[in-house]
Amino acid sequence: MAGQGCQGRAGCRSAGRDAGAGPGARGSFPGRSGPGAPGPPGQSPCAMSGAPGGRRPPFPALPGERVLEEAAGARRRRGNGGGSVPGTLLCTNRRLAFVPGQAPGSRGLLRPEDEVALPCIHKLVAASSFSKPKVLTAASTLKFIPEELAVFCRDFRLLRFSFPENGLAPQAFRVANAIAQAREAAARLGDAADGWASPGEAVPEEEEEEDEGSSTTLLFESLRDWEEELQRLGAAGWRVSAVNERFDMAPSLPQYLWVPSGLLDHDLKRTFGHFQERRVPRLCWHHPGGGHLLRAASFHPASEPGSEDVRCLEELLLGGRGPCVLADTAELPTLADIQLAHLRLRALCLPGAVAEEKWLSALEGTRWLDHVRSCLRKAAEVASLLAGKRCSVILQEPSDRDLNCLLASLVQLLGDPHARSLPGFQSLVQREWVAAGHPFPRRLGLLCQDSPREEAPVFLLFLDCTWQLLWQFPAHFGFTEAFLLALHDSSFSPDCSTFRFSCQRQRGRSSLPRLPSQTYRPMGGWQEPGGHRGHPNPCSFPPVWAWGRRYSRQQREQFRNPAGPPGPAGPPTPSTPAEPCPWGEPRLVLALAKGSLCPHSLPWWSRPPQRPPLWGSPSGSQGTLGGLLGTSCQPPPGLLLPCTAGPCVRLWHRCYLRGLPQEQRGRLAPSLAGLTEELQLLQERLRAWNLRRPH
Amino acid sequence: MGGAGSVMRLGVAALPGDRSFRCLPARGKRWELPPPPRAGAMLGGGARASKPSFVSYISPEEIHIKEPIEKEVNPHLLPGELLLCEASTVCKYVQEDGSHRGTYGKLVCTNFKISFLDDDSASDDNEPQFKNKIVGENDITLQCVDQIYGVFDEKKKLLTGQLRKYPETLIIYCKDLRVFNFCLRYTKEEEVKRIVSGIVHHSQTPKLLKRLFLFSYASAAPNNTDGRNQTVMFETLEDWRDELERTKGNVKYKAVTTNEGYRVSEKLPLYFVVPICISEENILKYEGRGIPIWCWSCHNGAALLKMSSFPKEQDDSTSQMQKAFLDGIYKTISKPPYELLRMDDLSSSLPSLQDIQNAYTRFKQLFLIDNSMDFWATDVKWFSLLESTNWLEIIRKVLKKAIEVAECLEIQHTNVLLIEESATDLCCVISSLVQVMMDSYSRTKSGFQSLIQKEWVIGGHSFLDRCNHLRKSEKEEAPVFLLLLNCVWQLVQQYPPAFEFTETYLTVLSDSLYVPIFSTFFFNSQHQRDTNKSGESIKTQSGPFRFLTVWDWSVQFDPKALAFLNNPLYAEKPKPDRSQRKTSRFKHQRQLSLPLTQAKPSTKRGFFREETDLFFKNILGKRIGKFINSSDEPPNSFREFYDSWHSKPVDYHGLLLPRIDGPEIKVWAQRYLRWIPEAQLHGGGTIATAARILDLMEEVQSLQVKMDEEHSQAVSGDVHSAPLLRNSARLSSLFPFALLQRQSVKPALPTSTWKDLEDEDDLVKRDDEFVDLSGDML
């Protein structure tokens, strides 16, 4: 890992030496950042060599990462009263890292709590006993020597570093300024979306660690992935269309779309113009019982389809697949709501933000959990519709790039056991978020030029919803809370490509056209297509799913849920044929709003729809959703119906309350893992006994 | 993740072989060696829908067309139980959605319970897996009735005492939070009168102690259980001496017999423990008031004591004398060899009993839900409603107090003297909590039961008054014992591996408060119990009553159900040899608690302590006042103790401190939400994990048995049949209590909205509206 060559980039000329490469880096001084920042008087850089703390263990730099500044002998404070750990505080061009004095051993991966990616830093505060604390930005540099540095992170962490007074002053000063500068620089780089990929970087060979995961995560960057997945779903009557292969039909859509087999590409092309951002309806998921889930942007207000267009549109929307239910996002929070709630939540989760006895009402006041509930409720409605009756549900959001991603993936989590396995979930995120063009950089606030209004952590809301499901149905998921946490944290991490781009087109432009090596095998299988090394501008970052790069084996083992479904996620649920739609009428369009269905019409229909057949079939006599589910009392196997009542929706403690001094320890998971381990040990021994024993 | 290492060493060390057998990941082969088949699939199909055949879904309007078939069903009566009145053709509403659907059957009232009998109760092929043998799902013991409402012309009225009019519907709210709706519209008027007044009379009006079912049961059912229970009852001097020895408190404290024949006080137990230096005459002087009574000794010798204070005295000279007496006592027990003494007057430092009662009354109202409309109505404001009850806040205060006491004992090596008027309410809560936190023996089942016995039952908590079992006076009522259980639950859910029992155990224990066949919770003091034990029964030749104790769980539950009370993940302490175990029961090996080297008070605190307040107000614009430390607490030793403990890995056998920050205090969902179908998750909840754990446990155990067999070269039977995987998908999160709502499908959304679509006429009406709407959109 060490010794990756890295070329200095423009603007950091003096960083030519490989500062991040190892012990030798200590004492090397890459260009002092903070132009014009006056050094504290009377201190020379050499003072550092006399700094306490001794030689720090090697810093496991990422490819292309350079250490900009470091301060040996800093102390990281742990919680309250937990004392502090001595070590070295480093600022690189990617992240802020703390290398504890004692070598962590093993592969030298930093513990996740010891590092924070630069874009993840929300606020940097320096303080000393002699002057007022100060929020540091690139524009306003430090004028005093800090004694403590508090780093407020977007991922709800709060890191605190202190600098004991013995001769550390200059380093403390420089590190603080360097962080402020680097953070700004990182945000600026992010604006040029491909800026993260430094030229000439080589992807390190991922050594060893062949892992259990022969199961694959589909990246949905190639035709084969789309075909494979369509086959798994068993969606007869649908095909993969390459009509958008050159992103000329709809720039923000993926290259390949799932469309009805009956619709030729030629006809399909007629429909693009009638949807906003040209995002046409396409299949997301096929319920084995015959229901279809589609997603689309809303109808373009100015479109006036001609009769031929109408035929194509109706073929795409209705296609003789039973009634079509339009589910819009009116009941869901707006982007602004989500952002506001998230900000409030983050403020609430800072230590001591609110008196203990007011905690619950303050939590309610953030409305974050309300948003979680409404998303879950809507997804549950759609999922039970699909499970109960053979119909197609079209998720329709004006832009089709935010809440549709969330709803489409939630519905699949509820209805598809495969999506609840680890690779299945990764493929799901890849398809419904990454390929579908969720504008991650803007929504996560990783850019600095964007107006703040664009920021809305829809993806984090989705992770929270997923966590609620995980918490409510622990035995149905193949992954764990630890995995969700890792994913949550990685969304701010600069060294994975997944969250760096707004759509496939942008990603494609920043990298080379890939060889059709489409399936990415997690941990180990990542091979940069040969021959592209040294190309001026390859997207050299692996997707976030390459967990092996940042998480140790032990940590990754915690990603799998020992109490999950016993086998690997089996074939899709046995095809229980859903009740044939009782409403016969092929051209029926309904709208799902506030939990009920009502007739609806498509914009080009000249007159209101004819009176629809009655919704309540005689069989559905129960006044509940059960009526929609059919006659059985239990939800069909494989379908999860989450509870969205107040007492059942909880705060994701381990995620949001990490900033609090009390870390979460000793919960159920470790002991369960221990039990599983014990079981294996026993079985091994017994097997060995049997072998040894003469028969 | 610290502490995980100490978990679940299920005797691997005792296995043959050595490290040469590597633990290879054997994914997918996990189920290869199955355990012997166990009795049935214990968990399978727990909440499965029962046969719907007997559930009549006819609406009351249809009743004239179709008379419900009345099979003769007879109530199952316990020995000594008498049928007092009954009514037939009563309809028990399914409460889930407020629609008038339900089951017809007979409502009976006995001297023990109110019971609803439908055809179902006669057929027992659908035995639930977790069944209480004494109190069925449609039984309400008279002591469990909280309030009874009648519905008169759509209006709800509280029923107490004499009735002039008789209601159409009877709503019974139970103390275990069940709600029953009985419709009496189709019952004969005579029967309505009899049953309503009978129920109201027997459950709501004051009662004599001797009329408690406890006595009828005890005289009718001779108690044959021998005392093989592991629980220490603290009825003998021996028990106290053993406890002193166990905690190594016998150097400075002694068990006294002064109160034999209740010479000192009727409130004090027959035997108790005081400092050695306290003389008998001192004890006798003020009926035991002002005498420090020993609760427990810490490993470092510091002891927890309690004392009942003198009532406020008008007379000046009397109070002078009392003061002098107290000073003398304090002096004696502050001298070496006794540690420094810290006094804590709980009546001033904790909420009053009245506050506790009020908070709990508000709190339980959130869960006593008539119909789902109510539920969804409160749902929007759930968190603020919860907060406004103040119940969680009281739990937090109590836990905090217990941590403070633990800090004094553990770190400061001082004795702590808890003072309260009677020393039998909050003293019991705090002293029990401290022991649960500091003494891992109290976290075993028998240890916990012994603790309840020591501090509460023998200690003289007035269960009769506090639970208002006799309906004598509402003023005395206060859920003090429930408060303890709620606090212990917080600990159980924060540190599951540290407890031998589960939350289900706590839940059924709380339910047992209202089952009057056990003497445990039905007396105010040991004296009251002893005097009533003999009493009248001398006349009836049978001799003194032999009451059952609640600790004999087999009275209420089958072995199958009992499995749910034990925590399979309990991190058992390494035990001494099997041969020694019996003798060492009382000499419970006490590992010292976490070596808490007291964090040296840093001379220079981080700057944040002092300055953050202002700083964060100014700069961040948010009140992040207590950034790191709430500096307004003068003694920071508490905070330091709390924080330094939490920054270390947990030792499940050592000191255990609850987390008490705002987000950490939670609602005991199992107890409070268990009857609410809206909160039910089909195939979800922690039970899903628990079921998997039980499976794993079973497998591990059977493998261990197999290993033993192999080791002893015994001819082992061949491979057992595959383990019956409990189908956790069939279970619901309300398991094991979700028995009432078997027919219900959890609605994912308020049902009213969907109902509209079911009703054809309604839909036709609504259609037009919708058509209009869509027209507008064009």
Side-chain angles (χ1 to χ4, degrees), chain A residues 1 4-6 60-66 93-95 196 198 201-204 495 540-542 549:
Chain A
M1 185 80 30
Q4 287 306 326
C6 63
L62 298 167
E65 186 172 18
R66 295 178 319 279
N93 57 339
R94 294 265 172 71
R95 56 184 169 165
W196 285 102
S198 303
E201 286 171 10
V203 171
D495 53 332
S540 53
F541 291 106
R549 295 167 59 94

Side-chain angles (χ1 to χ4, degrees), chain A residues 232 412-413 416-422 424-426 428 477 479:
Chain A
R232 185 190 72 80
Q412 292 177 58
L413 276 179
D416 188 352
H418 175 72
R420 300 194 286 262
S421 68
L422 183 62
F425 182 76
Q426 298 188 153
L428 180 73
F477 283 83
F479 52 88

Side-chain angles (χ1 to χ4, degrees), chain A residues 364, chain B residues 366 377-379 381-390:
Chain A
E364 187 176 275
Chain B
L366 293 179
T378 59
D379 191 51
K381 288 270 156 215
W382 165 253
F383 284 113
S384 39
L385 282 173
L386 193 59
E387 187 180 277
S388 65
T389 65
N390 210 33

Side-chain angles (χ1 to χ4, degrees), chain B residues 236-526:
Chain B
T236 62
L237 197 59
E238 261 314 284
D239 287 350
W240 286 101
R241 286 193 174 141
D242 286 339
E243 177 75 359
L244 269 176
E245 199 181 324
R246 183 183 77 81
T247 60
K248 301 194 182 66
N250 42 4
V251 189
K252 300 175 214 164
Y253 300 91
K254 62 175 180 197
V256 289
T257 54
T258 325
N259 202 26
E260 269 175 349
Y262 299 100
R263 287 191 295 146
V264 180
S265 162
E266 293 181 352
K267 296 206 153 175
L268 285 174
L270 212 48
Y271 307 103
F272 53 90
V273 178
V274 294
I276 284 181
C277 59
I278 299 282
S279 68
E280 188 164 317
E281 63 191 54
N282 272 342
I283 299 174
L284 283 163
K285 191 162 183 188
Y286 289 108
E287 298 184 332
R289 285 182 189 275
I291 298 296
I293 294 174
W294 177 89
C295 296
W296 180 71
S297 280
C298 183
H299 62 86
N300 58 17
L304 182 61
L305 308 165
K306 64 182 172 186
M307 183 176 96
S308 65
S309 62
F310 293 104
K312 269 254 159 26
E313 203 58 64
Q314 301 296 329
D315 189 358
D316 219 29
S317 64
T318 323
S319 64
Q320 284 293 322
M321 273 169 59
Q322 288 172 351
K323 196 160 176 291
F325 175 76
L326 279 182
D327 285 346
I329 295 283
Y330 290 152
K331 220 182 219 165
T332 18
I333 61 166
S334 302
K335 277 194 305 218
Y338 296 102
E339 289 76 7
L340 281 178
L341 186 70
R342 213 198 83 160
M343 283 173 283
D344 199 329
D345 190 353
L346 296 181
S347 51
S348 62
S349 63
L350 282 179
S352 69
L353 293 187
Q354 192 57 49
D355 290 345
I356 294 171
Q357 167 70 4
N358 290 345
Y360 186 70
T361 310
R362 282 194 299 264
F363 178 73
K364 76 181 177 198
Q365 230 52 55
L366 293 179
F367 305 97
L368 287 171
I369 287 169
D370 289 353
N371 55 50
S372 55
M373 297 296 200
D374 284 7
F375 180 81
W376 292 110
T378 59
D379 191 51
V380 192
K381 288 270 156 215
W382 165 253
F383 284 113
S384 39
L385 282 173
L386 193 59
E387 187 180 277
S388 65
T389 65
N390 210 33
W391 175 248
L392 296 186
E393 186 55 30
I394 286 175
I395 290 176
R396 188 200 329 281
K397 281 185 183 147
V398 169
L399 286 173
K400 190 169 174 210
K401 174 61 70 185
I403 297 174
E404 281 170 25
V405 172
E407 194 254 343
C408 288
L409 294 170
E410 174 87 32
I411 303 294
Q412 301 182 9
H413 296 239
T414 52
N415 287 342
V416 178
L417 178 63
L418 306 173
I419 303 173
E420 202 188 5
E421 162 94 41
S422 65
T424 53
D425 289 307
L426 292 171
C427 272
C428 300
V429 177
I430 299 295
S431 73
S432 315
L433 261 183
V434 168
Q435 292 175 58
V436 168
M437 281 157 45
M438 299 186 73
D439 187 349
S440 67
Y441 170 64
S442 303
R443 303 195 284 261
T444 63
K445 216 162 103 183
S446 58
F448 185 70
Q449 294 177 168
S450 308
L451 177 71
I452 302 292
Q453 202 63 33
K454 176 172 81 168
E455 297 294 337
W456 295 78
V457 181
I458 299 301
H461 176 68
S462 320
F463 280 104
L464 215 47
D465 295 342
R466 294 289 174 249
C467 299
N468 202 6
H469 282 318
L470 299 181
R471 301 270 165 192
K472 283 252 168 72
S473 152
E474 298 213 334
K475 271 184 205 145
E476 291 287 309
E477 194 173 342
V480 186
F481 187 64
L482 271 183
L483 179 63
L484 172 79
L485 294 185
N486 271 281
C487 291
V488 173
W489 180 84
Q490 304 288 341
L491 276 160
V492 168
Q493 65 101 22
Q494 288 181 12
Y495 307 100
F499 289 85
E500 195 189 27
F501 47 86
T502 57
E503 64 165 343
T504 309
Y505 169 82
L506 293 176
T507 306
V508 296
L509 180 57
S510 74
D511 289 345
S512 306
L513 268 179
Y514 314 112
V515 182
I517 64 169
F518 308 109
S519 64
T520 314
F521 302 128
F522 282 86
F523 290 105
N524 277 336
S525 62
Q526 195 182 6

Side-chain angles (χ1 to χ4, degrees), chain A residues 9 189-199 500-501 506-507 509-511 537-541:
Chain A
R9 35 187 321 110
L189 280 176
D191 288 354
D194 51 355
W196 285 102
S198 303
R500 294 281 78 82
F501 304 102
Q506 195 187 27
R507 180 186 314 273
R509 276 194 312 191
S510 76
S511 74
N537 199 13
C539 169
S540 53
F541 291 106

Side-chain angles (χ1 to χ4, degrees), chain B residues 554-690:
Chain B
S554 62
V555 176
Q556 290 190 74
F557 299 103
D558 287 330
K560 259 201 290 180
L562 283 175
F564 289 100
L565 309 187
N566 296 325
N567 176 12
L569 288 179
Y570 174 54
E572 217 164 339
K573 210 183 260 194
K575 277 200 184 129
D577 264 3
R578 199 172 279 249
S579 53
Q580 295 169 12
R581 204 187 301 166
K582 201 155 192 189
T583 52
S584 69
R585 200 180 85 207
F586 293 116
K587 293 174 205 153
H588 182 77
Q589 290 227 327
R590 296 163 46 77
Q591 280 176 2
L592 296 193
S593 313
L594 259 188
L596 266 161
T597 46
Q598 189 174 2
K600 286 189 200 102
S602 53
T603 45
K604 186 174 181 307
R605 294 250 164 81
F607 110 95
F608 280 97
R609 294 243 165 100
E610 288 81 23
E611 300 199 13
T612 32
D613 249 320
L614 196 108
F615 149 52
F616 280 102
K617 261 182 222 159
N618 287 350
I619 301 210
L620 303 181
K622 290 252 150 54
R623 212 184 72 79
I624 316 173
K626 294 189 290 176
F627 183 52
I628 287 313
N629 206 340
S630 47
S631 50
D632 47 336
E633 286 167 36
N636 259 332
S637 55
F638 163 76
R639 201 71 212 179
E640 230 160 68
F641 171 64
Y642 179 79
D643 291 330
S644 83
W645 189 85
H646 280 294
S647 63
K648 293 188 185 107
V650 178
D651 171 12
Y652 292 120
H653 301 298
L655 178 70
L656 211 60
L657 294 187
R659 282 178 294 254
I660 54 167
D661 314 85
E664 301 287 356
I665 304 292
K666 294 186 179 144
V667 174
W668 184 359
Q670 191 191 47
R671 176 172 154 84
Y672 295 107
L673 291 174
R674 56 188 158 156
W675 314 115
I676 301 177
E678 283 78 9
Q680 183 171 23
L681 295 165
H682 281 281
T686 45
I687 189 66
T689 322

Side-chain angles (χ1 to χ4, degrees), chain A residues 80 125 127 148 353 357-358 360-361 364 373 472 474 564 595 611 620 628 633 646 653 665 667 678 683, chain B residues 8 12 30 379 383-384 387 393 607-608 615 623 628 643 646 659 663 678 681 685 689 692 745 754 758 767:
Chain A
N80 184 10
V125 181
E148 291 214 33
E357 60 274 13
K358 293 283 169 222
L360 288 175
S361 52
E364 187 176 275
R373 288 160 72 169
Q472 292 193 359
R611 168 184 291 278
L628 289 181
C633 287
H653 274 226
R665 283 208 181 91
R667 293 300 170 95
E678 173 122 4
Q683 281 172 336
Chain B
M8 296 319 311
V12 165
R30 257 191 271 170
D379 191 51
F383 284 113
S384 39
E387 187 180 277
E393 186 55 30
F607 110 95
F608 280 97
F615 149 52
R623 212 184 72 79
I628 287 313
D643 291 330
H646 280 294
R659 282 178 294 254
E678 283 78 9
L681 295 165
T689 322
R692 186 59 52 81
V745 175
W754 292 95
E758 306 291 333
D767 264 357

